[in-house]
Amino acid sequence: MIVAENLCKDYGNKHAVNNVNFCISKGEIVSLLGPNGAGKTTLMRLLTGYIEPTSGEVRIFDQDLKTQRLECLRRIGYVPESGFLYNEMSVCDFLHYTARLRGMTEEAYQGNLRLTVDNLELREVINQKIETLSKGFKRRTGLAAALIHNPDILILDEPTEGLDPNQKVSLRNFLRHYGRNKIIIISTHIMEEVEAMADRVILLNHGKLVKDTTPAELKELFPEHNIETAFYKITSEAK
Amino acid sequence: MIKTIMTILKKEMMSYFEGVSAWVILSVYILTSMFVTFFVGGFFSINNSGLFSFFYFQPYIMALLIPSITMRLWAEERKSGTLEFLLTQPISVLSVVIGKYLAAWLMSSIMLLLSIPLWIYLNIYFSADNLNIISGYTGCILITGSFCALGCLISSFCSSPAVSYLWGLIILFCLNVSDFSSIIEAMHLPQIIELRLHKMLSLSSHYYDLINGQVGLDNILYFILIIIICLWLNVMSIDYKKN
């Protein structure tokens, strides 16, 4: 379970995240929605302990992220939006490096590697250098690094960006399957992705949580019965 | 923590030797060192039983080369966006700082190892004062350790390796030539205290004591203190910058 309580992050006078509260339980796939600059990435960075909140707290399975940071991070897999791969490494070396940083045994790593590589269809590029990969393979390599330790919580920033339609469908299926007994938080701009994957939508605008609901309820809020319209109307109202 | 430090150390050493950078640095070091030792330091014309002509110029050569070893350690991580990946792993910032620092220090020590044939040559063809040479190497290892810690700290402030190199070069050269006399004189202290302060703060005076065979505890502690302070500041700067 992830609990965010009165979470705030200020950059100077700007409130990037402003008094956000939510609780996410096991088995939920939550989509973070919001226009550019709404605070989605900042919120994800707060949840992964990359940055510290100005006030408020995050608890991961009843452990305080601030005081028990390492224990909390062991349960999280995180894929930032872009540019977090070591281009000079091969896919295999990068995954091995990640596993070693996570303190995995060689045996556990080998077992998880086989599964992750097969699930994400990375077998054909496993020995290839990351700099030579296509955007789609790079995204999947990042996802593989986040999944290598089989985390209880998966936090993904724009996971399908750069993937072709087939890869998008296969990734969504995989995430739906993986999220059955885990927590997945996905930041996205793509409404069809929200409908296809999310059990719940957290809508952010100007750093504030403006709606915490299900995709079906969000659709029903306006007569057009369309998530895109709901998104537009809610975020415009907040302006 | 040790496992993490070793993982980071191994990764950084591999990235030095996978490209050409390590080989270029090692080649430049050996060529510069030998040129300076034989042609500027007058290897054959002075009493050189303690390899003085080699050790004397090392701080300047290290000031030129160590920034190229440390420049990308943090600046490149920040520039390419991998810092976010690294700092969201279940590892402490301190272990990453130590791992990167040790990689830089190990790389500089490999450079120093290249000069061992000179020591052997001196023992075979001339009379060598081996105790003095060991003391000189201790000084070299300690000064490279301090320079690496400073270089890592400078890299943690920069977003580009090139900028990090330039700042490293300037600061390390200033440290070599400065004996802090203008600062000490501005304090208007009694002359005896001024002299003691000068001796205490000056990097070159501690280093030249060591290459002259005076392995005092104060000399060793001076360099260890620089290393600890720089690594601590490095942790602070990474924490501060990401927030």
Side-chain angles (χ1 to χ4, degrees):
Chain A
M1 194 162 71
I2 300 185
V3 178
E5 259 180 21
N6 306 320
L7 207 54
C8 295
K9 179 68 188 174
D10 298 342
Y11 290 111
N13 292 328
K14 190 181 182 287
H15 303 300
V17 170
N18 192 356
N19 204 29
V20 167
N21 291 281
F22 58 76
C23 170
I24 304 172
S25 309
K26 245 184 175 178
E28 279 191 297
I29 300 181
V30 176
S31 182
L32 277 184
L33 264 182
N36 287 334
K40 300 186 296 290
T41 299
T42 306
L43 182 58
M44 289 189 149
R45 286 176 171 174
L46 288 168
L47 296 178
T48 53
Y50 179 62
I51 53 174
E52 283 175 19
T54 309
S55 62
E57 61 173 28
V58 176
R59 283 201 308 278
I60 311 278
F61 295 104
D62 294 326
Q63 287 179 311
D64 183 16
L65 182 59
K66 195 173 179 181
T67 55
Q68 289 161 292
R69 186 175 165 271
L70 300 190
E71 287 80 2
C72 290
L73 291 185
R74 279 195 192 101
R75 307 187 78 164
I76 298 177
Y78 173 47
V79 184
E81 192 178 351
S82 60
F84 60 94
L85 303 168
Y86 292 97
N87 284 322
E88 72 278 11
M89 284 186 179
S90 70
V91 174
C92 188
D93 286 345
F94 178 61
L95 297 180
H96 195 227
Y97 177 57
T98 310
R100 286 186 65 88
L101 287 179
R102 292 203 158 269
M104 290 174 73
T105 61
E106 197 59 32
E107 203 181 1
Y109 163 68
Q110 289 299 340
N112 283 3
L113 177 72
R114 216 166 300 126
L115 262 174
T116 311
V117 164
D118 287 340
N119 282 330
L120 295 171
E121 296 161 32
L122 282 168
R123 180 79 49 203
E124 59 182 293
V125 294
I126 192 77
N127 292 316
Q128 213 169 304
K129 281 207 171 187
I130 292 173
E131 63 193 349
T132 64
L133 298 180
S134 67
K135 209 173 171 186
F137 275 121
K138 279 184 180 172
R139 289 305 289 172
R140 282 187 275 163
T141 303
L143 190 57
L147 286 166
I148 198 74
H149 60 296
N150 193 19
D152 293 318
I153 301 165
L154 192 57
I155 300 179
L156 312 170
D157 204 348
E158 309 277 355
T160 55
E161 202 190 271
L163 300 185
D164 66 38
N166 293 339
Q167 291 170 340
K168 277 183 188 176
V169 172
S170 107
L171 182 64
R172 281 177 200 156
N173 290 338
F174 169 72
L175 290 177
R176 278 222 70 90
H177 178 75
Y178 189 79
R180 280 194 299 201
N181 56 355
K182 311 272 182 184
I183 292 173
I184 301 184
I185 301 174
I186 300 169
S187 157
T188 182
H189 282 111
I190 306 164
M191 302 299 160
E192 61 171 284
E193 211 159 275
V194 177
E195 285 192 89
M197 277 196 291
D199 304 310
R200 190 170 146 194
V201 178
I202 290 178
L203 193 53
L204 293 171
N205 200 23
H206 298 297
K208 283 187 175 168
L209 194 157
V210 288
K211 212 83 191 163
D212 184 351
T213 182
T214 63
E217 278 172 8
L218 191 64
K219 272 164 82 173
E220 296 303 319
L221 281 176
F222 296 94
E224 291 87 347
H225 297 297
N226 176 320
I227 288 191
E228 219 152 291
T229 318
F231 173 83
Y232 174 75
K233 290 202 171 163
I234 292 169
T235 52
S236 323
E237 271 170 22
K239 267 183 197 171
Chain B
M1 188 171 175
I2 299 216
K3 209 175 160 192
T4 308
I5 292 172
M6 293 312 290
T7 305
I8 303 272
L9 170 69
K10 195 177 158 197
K11 185 251 166 196
E12 294 300 340
M13 287 310 288
M14 274 172 73
S15 58
Y16 283 132
F17 284 95
E18 263 178 5
V20 291
S21 66
W23 307 109
V24 171
I25 292 167
L26 292 175
S27 310
V28 171
Y29 172 75
I30 199 69
L31 287 174
T32 321
S33 273
M34 291 307 114
F35 176 80
V36 169
T37 304
F38 284 99
F39 298 105
V40 184
F43 183 81
F44 297 109
S45 54
I46 60 166
N47 172 18
N48 213 2
S49 59
L51 265 182
F52 192 75
S53 62
F54 167 75
F55 290 126
Y56 185 82
F57 296 101
Q58 286 304 303
Y60 297 95
I61 297 169
M62 292 300 177
L64 181 78
L65 291 175
I66 284 180
S68 67
I69 295 173
T70 56
M71 64 179 184
R72 37 165 295 285
L73 287 175
W74 290 105
E76 185 73 30
E77 299 264 12
R78 183 168 285 119
K79 191 182 171 193
S80 63
T82 47
L83 193 61
E84 190 169 352
F85 161 80
L86 196 59
L87 299 182
T88 50
Q89 303 302 312
I91 51 178
S92 64
V93 176
L94 180 65
S95 57
V96 186
V97 166
I98 294 176
K100 282 179 178 286
Y101 166 70
L102 288 180
W105 200 359
L106 184 60
M107 179 68 200
S108 333
S109 303
I110 292 171
M111 287 196 323
L112 276 175
L113 276 179
L114 295 177
S115 67
I116 296 288
L118 194 65
W119 186 5
I120 298 168
Y121 172 74
L122 198 72
N123 268 288
I124 295 171
Y125 295 102
F126 303 90
S127 64
D129 181 350
N130 287 323
L131 277 179
N132 205 337
I133 292 173
I134 290 169
S135 169
Y137 271 111
T138 309
C140 263
I141 287 171
L142 287 171
I143 205 169
T144 53
S146 310
F147 282 6
C148 285
L150 266 164
C152 288
L153 176 63
I154 294 162
S155 179
S156 74
F157 288 121
C158 302
S159 308
S160 143
V163 175
S164 166
Y165 177 80
L166 274 178
W167 276 112
L169 187 70
I170 293 165
I171 291 170
L172 294 185
F173 260 104
C174 288
L175 258 179
N176 272 331
V177 293
S178 161
D179 53 5
F180 300 97
S181 48
S182 50
I183 302 169
I184 295 166
E185 277 164 22
M187 292 176 180
H188 301 294
L189 299 164
Q191 202 181 1
I192 183 117
I193 299 175
E194 262 188 25
L195 277 171
R196 284 195 76 93
L197 257 181
H198 179 271
K199 174 90 180 66
M200 224 162 77
L201 293 176
S202 166
L203 184 128
S204 49
S205 99
H206 287 282
Y207 176 71
Y208 291 124
D209 273 358
L210 281 165
I211 65 169
N212 282 313
Q214 298 167 31
V215 194
L217 193 64
D218 58 332
N219 293 324
I220 294 173
L221 283 178
Y222 173 82
F223 290 109
I224 291 175
L225 201 65
I226 291 182
I227 294 169
I228 291 172
I229 291 171
C230 287
L231 293 184
W232 177 73
L233 288 174
N234 198 340
V235 173
M236 295 288 122
S237 91
I238 295 297
D239 270 336
Y240 176 77
K241 276 229 162 191
K242 75 184 166 75
N243 278 298

